[in-house]
Amino acid sequence: MRSKIVAGNWKMNKDVTGSKELANGLVAGLKGKTLNNTRVVVAPTFVNLTAVKEVAEGSVIEVAAQNMHQEKSGAYTGEISAEMLTSIGLKSVVLGHSERREYFGESDALLAEKVNAALANGLEVIFCFGEVLEDRKSGNHFSVVEAQISNALFHLDAAAWGSIVLAYEPVWAIGTGETATAEQAQEMHAFIRKIVADKYDVALAQEVSILYGGSCKPGNAKEIFSKEDVDGGLIGGAALQAEDFIAIIEAIQ
Ligand code: PGA
């Protein structure tokens, strides 16, 4: 059975003190709670990964990176490799976030390289994609999403999909307060599962967790998560408050 996952993307927020405080709040708030087949992941900034990992040690909370470089090592000033992430004990990395695509020019082709490097190093990839508002308005959202997934992931063999989590994040819903309706999320998630099934097989597609992201909050999480093909969420703003993030985790139970 595929896992449910609630992942918090902290983006470029929180210094080391704030990161530890938030992690401590999550550890305390989740202690003793039964999480029915639900994984909890947080993705702090690179510099705070180790500090948050120390706080999370022994708890249910997993720590992931928000990005990584595709090369192993070398003259890439300011960059961080997959090996560096695994060397501090990380098991997952977020790739393809719309902010990386938009502000840092990450293309599908580059993301395919990053995915390969992550998988080669044993990292799970939380792969983000989603259409912009114009695509949704013009009815191109399905073809845009299909291209993003096939360009970056459909070269993988079936076995590699055990380490892929998909995160559908309509760009028009990220940080805008405007959420996709639960029906829009379900419609797209079912479409995604179908294209994965068509490319590989139904059994493989049934095992892939597909998260929704974009203004997911305690108030709307339950409805979105109630949909059959929505296996959790990638949470930005609401992941920065322990109380809200925990409420979202509870909404999936
Ligand atoms: P948001 O961000 O929840 O603040 O909309 C989601 C994301 O960017 O992953």
Side-chain angles (χ1 to χ4, degrees), residues 90-243:
L90 259 61
K91 301 209 164 42
S92 315
V93 61
V94 177
L95 292 176
H97 192 278
S98 66
E99 288 148 18
R100 299 292 321 167
R101 293 173 188 262
E102 185 181 350
Y103 307 139
F104 303 95
E106 297 197 1
S107 64
D108 291 346
L110 173 73
L111 290 168
E113 285 184 51
K114 290 194 177 199
V115 166
N116 291 345
L119 296 177
N121 282 280
L123 286 166
E124 170 190 70
V125 174
I126 301 174
F127 184 76
C128 309
F129 51 89
E131 81 282 2
V132 297
L133 189 57
E134 299 83 80
D135 297 326
R136 165 83 41 188
K137 282 190 173 153
S138 60
N140 288 336
H141 45 299
F142 293 113
S143 57
V144 166
V145 162
E146 183 165 13
Q148 288 171 325
I149 294 174
S150 61
N151 292 342
L153 300 177
F154 277 0
H155 63 284
L156 298 174
D157 61 21
W161 279 79
S163 301
I164 300 288
V165 171
L166 300 177
Y168 168 58
E169 299 202 299
V171 178
W172 48 271
I174 296 178
T176 57
E178 191 179 337
T179 334
T181 63
E183 287 69 30
Q184 285 172 323
Q186 169 57 26
E187 184 186 34
M188 182 58 88
H189 284 220
F191 171 77
I192 294 162
R193 211 178 292 289
K194 182 174 181 314
I195 60 171
V196 175
D198 289 348
K199 169 73 187 172
Y200 296 90
D201 60 60
V202 173
L204 183 150
Q206 282 301 327
E207 284 305 305
V208 179
S209 299
I210 309 177
L211 317 184
Y212 167 80
S215 299
C216 192
K217 304 215 158 23
N220 59 26
K222 207 169 186 73
E223 203 193 338
I224 296 171
F225 294 164
S226 71
K227 296 296 179 190
E228 192 185 336
D229 288 295
V230 179
D231 304 312
L234 182 55
I235 321 298
L240 297 174
Q241 306 278 345
E243 220 174 84

